[in-house]
Amino acid sequence: MTRSGQEYLASLRDGREIWLDGERVADVTAHPAFRNTAASLARLYDLAHDSEHTPVLTQGGVHRAYAVPRSYEDLVARRRAYKVWSEASFGFLGRTPDYMAGGAAGFAALPQVFTTEAYDGSGAALAYHRRLAEGDLYPTFTITNPQIDRTVPASEQEEDDLVVKVVAEKDGGIVVRGAKMIGTAAVFGNEVIVGTIEPLAPQDVEHAVCFSLPVGTPGLKFLSRTSYEAQARSVFDNPLSSRFDENDALLVCDDVFVPWERVLAYRNVDVAFGMWWRTPAYLNFVHQAATRFWTKLEFLTGIAILLTKANNTHRLPPVTQAIGRLMGKVAQAKAFVLAAEASYQEVDGGRGGVMPGKDISFAQRIMAGELYPQAVQEIKLLAGGGVIQLPASGEDLLHPELGPLVRKYIRSPGTPAEERVKLLKLAWDALGSEFAARHEQYERFYHGAPHVYLMQQAWEGDTDSCESLARACLDGYDLERPR
């Protein structure tokens, strides 16, 4: 059954080892670097647990993202659930619980991918899905190898335990050591799945492992990046970074014991890679992310419209054209979501339900990484210098001497100073702050580097139909004598 927000927050007080600024964080629900974001995530749980959105967000008592879709209608219903949660953070929380929930549903749709002669992880994969769904847990993951030397296999690094590897095998499980990145929102999760989404070399069998553990498991260490929430002065001054900083952390496994029942892939490079790509897991990721991306562009375009109205420039032809371009980008993002659903494919002949269309889903990754910086640049041009020349904080508006000056000089026709400052601070937090810069980089790379997904589109896309159409034209005529 679904949990309340308070139940979710209570689950985070489990002794997890989170490090920030050289100190161990005792309680992420109370620490100024994490507490507001934890509260924002708790609100998502409340929306599913008991609100007007509960029927959209849940199915059979569990979050809809955990359900294996059996039809086009199921895909649409799942997207509507994704949309509710993404709108709650205006698209700025990317790795909400429904992201990896969709991945777990992908594993459950095709568990035979985890079965080999040497190790059968299908039972663990199904148990993983069931455990998360029934417990309404927050699943996170770290499935990328550290950027130490990408030119050599993991087993040939200067130190062979830089990347998570199996260092011992016991009757009850295995012992692992090494690191993984990037644990986006991992500090807020209940379980973390550790694996490898990129291909491994044939000799990297000791690194070909995937498992999931409670975040509070002894030996798991999370090294957090700078907290933008901690740097935020207030919700008024930093309305996004103060509440929606999902954080990113490096995971270090210090001789961590993993029971066999939590090991999904073991010493098999094909399974460790294929569990993401041969099941619907990755396409389910894209479905959630594409819905969130569409929502985020809607939000940013809304900021652009409010800025132009506040500046009284919204009727100028160049400004109107710029808004038209942004609205076109929103429609483009929406179209990819709807097209992926409409081009759905059966999984295992329908026995594993359906999944979003592969070609459109892969194309969405390309589109999003290129489109987001364009949209941000367009809105920055519309904002002009107003987002730079702002009061240091909302305190200036409350000051008896400074307040009248701010109200006199930082205003526009029909827009009082307080409302204008509030809007401009929102725009800066979304477009120009360190938090915003992280989001631009995130939108470029969170589904992989361009040189990876562009090649994959060429390898796995429907190149035959493109080639056959061109050849049909070539075959339709022969060399003729000059007239």
Side-chain angles (χ1 to χ4, degrees):
M1 298 297 291
T2 59
R3 297 183 292 177
S4 68
Q6 285 302 313
E7 289 171 325
Y8 159 69
L9 292 174
S11 74
L12 302 183
R13 304 182 188 105
D14 56 2
R16 59 190 56 201
E17 190 171 348
I18 312 296
W19 291 86
L20 174 70
D21 293 335
E23 297 182 357
R24 183 169 177 177
V25 176
D27 182 357
V28 295
T29 69
H31 195 281
F34 305 103
R35 62 191 179 197
N36 289 348
T37 302
S40 295
L41 291 163
R43 179 171 177 263
L44 300 184
Y45 278 94
D46 281 335
L47 288 176
H49 181 66
D50 185 18
S51 81
E52 61 182 320
H53 300 291
T54 300
V56 173
L57 288 165
T58 62
Q59 176 182 345
V62 301
H63 194 285
R64 196 174 291 274
Y66 284 115
V68 176
R70 300 289 173 182
S71 65
Y72 164 74
E73 290 75 18
D74 286 347
L75 288 175
V76 171
R78 186 170 68 179
R79 179 247 302 162
R80 287 173 176 160
Y82 289 155
K83 196 75 167 66
V84 170
W85 267 12
S86 62
E87 288 181 354
S89 69
F90 313 103
F92 280 87
L93 288 178
R95 297 288 198 251
T96 43
D98 52 349
Y99 187 88
M100 189 57 221
F107 298 159
L110 207 61
Q112 56 266 37
V113 168
F114 296 85
T115 301
T116 67
E117 292 184 4
Y119 183 78
D120 186 356
S122 60
L126 290 171
Y128 172 71
H129 173 251
R130 184 170 55 254
R131 181 172 67 249
L132 296 177
E134 293 178 354
D136 198 22
L137 302 182
Y138 188 162
T140 61
F141 61 77
T142 53
I143 54 178
T144 304
N145 292 334
Q147 292 178 323
I148 297 170
D149 187 349
R150 295 285 177 87
T151 66
V152 299
S155 57
E156 297 177 16
Q157 300 282 349
E158 293 180 5
E159 300 174 60
D160 67 356
D161 62 351
L162 294 175
V163 177
V164 167
K165 62 174 290 189
V166 179
V167 295
E169 183 177 316
K170 300 182 177 181
D171 290 340
I174 56 176
V175 178
V176 296
R177 181 188 306 157
K180 286 284 181 177
M181 58 180 276
I182 302 171
T184 301
V187 299
F188 300 108
N190 296 122
E191 284 200 19
V192 58
I193 192 167
V194 182
T196 305
I197 198 168
E198 62 235 41
L200 293 170
Q203 63 267 37
D204 288 342
V205 291
E206 292 181 348
H207 300 271
V209 61
C210 181
F211 55 87
S212 183
L213 290 172
V215 171
T217 298
L220 290 184
K221 295 181 173 64
F222 296 87
L223 282 60
S224 171
R225 62 147 165 84
T226 296
S227 169
Y228 308 131
E229 178 180 325
Q231 296 173 351
R233 304 189 67 167
S234 68
V235 175
F236 182 87
D237 294 303
N238 309 93
L240 300 174
S241 55
S242 64
R243 297 180 293 165
F244 307 120
D245 180 20
E246 60 189 348
N247 209 281
D248 309 281
L250 176 72
L251 170 67
V252 177
C253 298
D254 186 8
D255 286 356
V256 176
F257 177 72
V258 184
W260 284 119
E261 59 268 22
R262 287 180 170 270
V263 179
L264 283 70
Y266 184 59
R267 295 181 62 85
N268 188 299
V269 296
D270 293 331
V271 174
F273 177 69
M275 59 181 284
W276 308 101
W277 302 101
R278 289 169 52 204
T279 72
Y282 187 81
L283 296 178
N284 288 350
F285 287 163
V286 177
H287 194 202
Q288 187 270 2
T291 304
R292 179 199 56 79
F293 183 78
W294 162 26
T295 303
K296 196 173 187 180
L297 281 189
E298 284 183 319
F299 173 72
L300 292 177
T301 300
I303 289 179
I305 294 170
L306 292 176
L307 283 172
T308 61
K309 289 185 175 181
N311 292 338
N312 202 27
T313 60
H314 63 290
R315 296 191 183 278
L316 298 177
V319 174
T320 304
Q321 292 170 24
I323 296 298
R325 283 192 294 270
L326 288 168
M327 291 298 296
K329 289 177 170 57
V330 172
Q332 188 177 349
K334 177 181 178 179
F336 272 91
V337 176
L338 303 186
E341 295 166 357
S343 62
Y344 70 90
Q345 299 168 249
E346 291 186 338
V347 179
D348 192 24
R351 289 180 289 275
V354 300
M355 61 185 182
K358 181 180 291 187
D359 279 359
I360 300 298
S361 296
F362 283 3
Q364 192 276 341
R365 300 185 306 167
I366 300 170
M367 176 277 300
E370 296 174 352
L371 190 149
Y372 190 81
Q374 297 171 11
V376 169
Q377 179 66 12
E378 189 88 68
I379 303 170
K380 283 182 176 179
L381 291 173
L382 292 172
V387 291
I388 299 174
Q389 189 61 68
L390 279 171
S393 76
E395 293 297 321
D396 287 357
L397 282 160
L398 302 176
H399 192 275
E401 183 176 350
L402 298 179
L405 296 178
V406 173
R407 290 183 174 85
K408 179 178 180 179
Y409 294 112
I410 304 181
R411 61 185 175 87
S412 59
T415 306
E418 183 171 328
E419 184 178 334
R420 180 175 171 79
V421 170
K422 185 178 181 181
L423 171 61
L424 291 174
K425 282 186 173 288
L426 170 61
W428 182 251
D429 212 16
L431 304 170
S433 65
E434 188 175 359
F435 171 82
R438 179 264 179 194
H439 271 269
E440 183 169 334
Q441 193 75 351
Y442 176 84
E443 297 298 350
R444 289 175 184 264
F445 288 98
Y446 75 95
H447 270 164
H451 70 271
V452 174
Y453 59 67
L454 287 172
M455 291 178 65
Q456 189 172 35
Q457 183 80 331
W459 289 337
E460 299 195 30
D462 188 9
T463 57
D464 290 343
S465 63
C466 301
E467 185 177 345
S468 64
L469 187 59
R471 288 194 177 279
C473 180
L474 288 172
D475 293 341
Y477 59 90
D478 295 314
L479 181 65
E480 298 179 358
R481 291 182 182 275
R483 294 181 179 179

